[in-house]
Amino acid sequence: MTNSYYPFINTPLSYDYSALEPYIDTCTMHLHHDRHLQTYIDHLNSALKDEPELQTLSLEQLLTDTNRLPHRLQTVIKNNAGGVYNHRFYFDGMSGQLSRPSGELSVAIDRQFGSFDRFIQLFRAIALAVFGSGYAWLAVRDGRLIITATANQDTPIALGMCPIICIDVWEHAYYLKHQNVRAGYFDDWINTVNWPMAEQRFEECMLKYK
Ligand code: MN3
């Protein structure tokens, strides 16, 4: 189900709340999707409620065509459209099926980072180093894979990058199961990455450079 325009709805997960057990617990998935993401959706809808011109913009346009937004709404839209975009991207990028990178993405990871294991090490270090709340990303910038981090609900698309995978490192993503131990969360989360989805996203990102 896609829902790119106002009114935004909380599209269901493409898997069961318990599908990511034992890595991501069912209770966290309920709270994270049904409460945290819902709050961003509600706040975004409320910011757009009386703005018919903005209601014609897609979620991605709200984040990237920011000069079309009135100044008074720029922050609230950046934070809440960002919260919707980032959470949907995070949830869609996980799966209960264990997988590994393959195809062109696997080749690009080896070329850029040396090996898959080295990539995981680097990605882990960036995710653990995020100060406060934010996300770590594998993304394409200028036709190359990069690992980067964003603060709060900033999005890579607003920074000119094309995202492949992300880990939400806000504490609400892991506190119930891992308390304050972000490293334990990362080591669980890496088992949930939907690599076939990542590969599809990578191919779409690279089309922009062909
Ligand atoms: Mn979150």
Side-chain angles (χ1 to χ4, degrees):
M1 183 194 295
T2 53
N3 162 237
S4 304
Y5 289 88
Y6 178 92
F8 292 96
I9 57 164
N10 199 358
T11 52
L13 294 170
S14 60
Y15 43 79
D16 195 83
Y17 291 94
S18 63
L20 308 180
E21 294 272 9
Y23 305 116
I24 312 280
D25 61 288
T26 308
C27 191
T28 294
M29 291 303 291
H30 272 287
L31 284 169
H32 203 174
H33 177 272
D34 301 352
R35 306 274 187 87
H36 288 278
L37 174 51
Q38 184 70 53
T39 301
Y40 289 107
I41 286 176
D42 293 344
H43 288 170
L44 179 58
N45 284 334
S46 129
L48 299 176
K49 180 166 53 78
D50 300 318
E51 310 291 334
E53 333 74 76
L54 302 185
Q55 291 172 10
T56 66
L57 300 181
S58 70
L59 183 65
E60 295 211 12
Q61 286 172 319
L62 289 167
L63 289 162
T64 54
D65 291 359
T66 48
N67 55 353
R68 295 171 73 170
L69 309 178
H71 188 258
R72 70 193 154 80
L73 291 177
Q74 283 184 356
T75 301
V76 70
I77 289 178
K78 176 174 110 142
N79 289 339
N80 290 292
V84 175
Y85 180 91
N86 288 339
H87 279 104
R88 285 178 171 179
F89 199 91
Y90 168 73
F91 290 131
D92 286 348
M94 294 190 286
S95 158
Q97 307 288 111
L98 280 173
S99 59
R100 294 265 297 193
S102 62
E104 288 179 33
L105 177 57
S106 171
V107 171
I109 285 174
D110 288 349
R111 189 170 53 224
Q112 194 67 38
F113 307 110
S115 67
F116 183 54
D117 288 347
R118 181 74 186 131
F119 156 75
I120 291 175
Q121 260 177 27
L122 294 166
F123 195 72
R124 187 177 193 272
I126 297 279
L128 298 193
V130 173
F131 181 76
S133 297
Y135 295 76
W137 302 85
L138 175 67
V140 173
R141 188 176 63 199
D142 302 329
R144 287 156 59 107
L145 284 176
I146 56 154
I147 301 168
T148 191
T150 53
N152 301 313
Q153 296 299 356
D154 291 356
T155 63
I157 56 170
L159 302 166
M161 293 183 271
C162 188
I164 311 293
I165 61 174
C166 76
I167 179 171
D168 181 343
V169 295
W170 287 58
E171 279 189 344
H172 65 235
Y174 59 91
Y175 205 84
L176 290 181
K177 176 163 186 238
H178 298 92
Q179 291 79 48
N180 60 329
V181 186
R182 192 186 286 176
Y185 163 57
F186 182 94
D187 294 340
D188 271 345
W189 167 83
I190 194 72
N191 295 294
T192 71
V193 175
N194 183 341
W195 287 106
M197 167 71 82
E199 194 169 328
Q200 200 180 311
R201 288 165 170 171
F202 177 68
E203 282 165 19
E204 284 163 21
C205 289
M206 293 307 283
L207 285 179
K208 298 175 186 174
Y209 299 97
K210 283 194 172 141

